[in-house]
Amino acid sequence: MRRRLEPYLWLLFSGGGVVAALTLPVLVLLFGVLMPLGVVAWPSAAHLRALVDAPLVRGAVVVALTLCLFHAAHRIRFTSEELLGLRRWDALVAVLCYGAAVAGGVTAITLLF
Amino acid sequence: MTTARPPGHEEARPYVRPRDRWWFARRRSLAVFVLRELTSVLVAWTVAYLLLLLGAVADGTTERFAALAARPWMVALNVLALAATAFHAVTFLNLAPKATVVRLDGWRVPAWMIQGGNHTAWLAVSALLAYLVLRSS
């Protein structure tokens, strides 16, 4: 079971890594740094709503955010095991990490649909 | 690492090397490796932050979100997240030719071309997203 699951987890990891690399820096630059500092004005609430209005866009946002979370979960799983010596608890750590990613994906769905 | 055991003690527990808690601080390359892996924590944070924003957009509380986003600790955290996600992007996109070998008619596409293509895609996607967010506002 574990053996057969692992390649798919790596696939989600690398897919999420690409999505995170392409989209997250510009989004955190805009919404997390430039807008709060007043360098760029916040878009109006109506404009932000319109951005995620199309169902196709909503679906894409959910998929993208979930992939990013799976990427992070996969790395956090192995890094925490290496740094903190938790290799013995791999099954538990894996459930916690991927579980959090699934929870984040479900949150995205409930927020957007 | 193995020591001869006295007769009658053959069943003794095997020697387990003690874990080096600071293995990642011993070499520069290991420190960079761990730093790269730790970007994932801030990738997760960035997604959480965007979910908060989406929630505010859905509830019509973007004003409150903007006030939260402007708190100094929040800006500091997001500057860190920006650095981490950018570091992730550079390292992850550079890794691609190691993971996939692209061949055209038997000619192996050199690593720098794949990396260049990836970074061009990064630039293009970033420009498109920035345009969509910032236009008419």
Side-chain angles (χ1 to χ4, degrees):
Chain A
M1 177 62 192
R2 281 216 74 79
R3 282 277 161 77
R4 269 181 288 169
L5 200 60
E6 214 68 7
Y8 297 101
L9 292 173
W10 279 99
L11 201 66
L12 286 172
F13 161 75
S14 78
V18 172
V19 174
L22 295 182
T23 61
L24 293 188
V26 68
L27 291 177
V28 76
L29 173 69
L30 287 173
F31 291 113
V33 180
L34 295 185
M35 288 173 194
L37 288 179
V39 180
V40 176
W42 281 95
S44 67
H47 178 64
L48 287 176
R49 254 199 313 281
L51 270 181
V52 289
D53 193 43
L56 203 67
V57 174
R58 289 166 190 243
V61 170
V62 168
V63 170
L65 291 182
T66 309
L67 277 175
C68 291
L69 285 177
F70 263 97
H71 165 83
H74 198 70
R75 262 192 172 163
I76 290 171
R77 170 186 166 197
F78 287 113
T79 308
S80 64
E81 286 172 12
E82 294 295 334
L83 283 188
L84 309 172
L86 301 176
R87 181 72 63 78
R88 261 184 305 166
W89 312 101
D90 177 52
L92 178 67
V93 175
V95 167
L96 285 177
C97 289
Y98 301 123
V102 170
V106 171
T107 307
I109 292 172
T110 53
L111 286 177
L112 284 167
F113 288 95
Chain B
M1 284 296 158
T2 50
T3 48
R5 298 186 189 115
H9 286 76
E10 286 84 5
E11 295 294 316
R13 284 195 305 147
Y15 172 76
V16 180
R17 213 171 67 140
R19 237 178 69 78
D20 178 4
R21 279 170 184 276
W22 297 97
W23 60 267
F24 49 88
R26 308 270 180 234
R27 262 174 38 202
R28 205 183 120 82
S29 60
L30 292 179
V32 172
F33 161 73
V34 167
L35 213 59
R36 195 190 74 200
E37 297 299 298
L38 285 179
T39 61
S40 57
V41 176
L42 285 152
V43 165
W45 157 251
T46 303
V47 174
Y49 182 76
L50 292 174
L51 285 174
L52 284 175
L53 172 63
L54 284 172
V57 170
D59 299 343
T61 54
T62 40
E63 301 273 316
R64 229 176 55 197
F65 179 83
L68 174 70
R71 299 253 182 98
W73 64 268
M74 190 60 112
V75 175
L77 182 56
N78 280 328
V79 167
L80 214 60
L82 173 63
T85 49
F87 186 49
H88 160 74
V90 172
T91 50
F92 206 80
L93 296 176
N94 277 343
L95 218 60
K98 293 221 167 76
T100 38
V101 175
V102 181
R103 285 184 192 283
L104 299 174
D105 258 348
W107 176 69
R108 184 177 170 167
V109 177
W112 65 267
M113 274 192 196
I114 299 176
Q115 291 165 337
N118 280 346
H119 289 289
T120 308
W122 181 22
L123 205 68
V125 170
S126 299
L128 177 70
L129 287 176
Y131 167 73
L132 289 174
V133 168
L134 295 175
R135 77 179 160 166
S136 79
S137 65

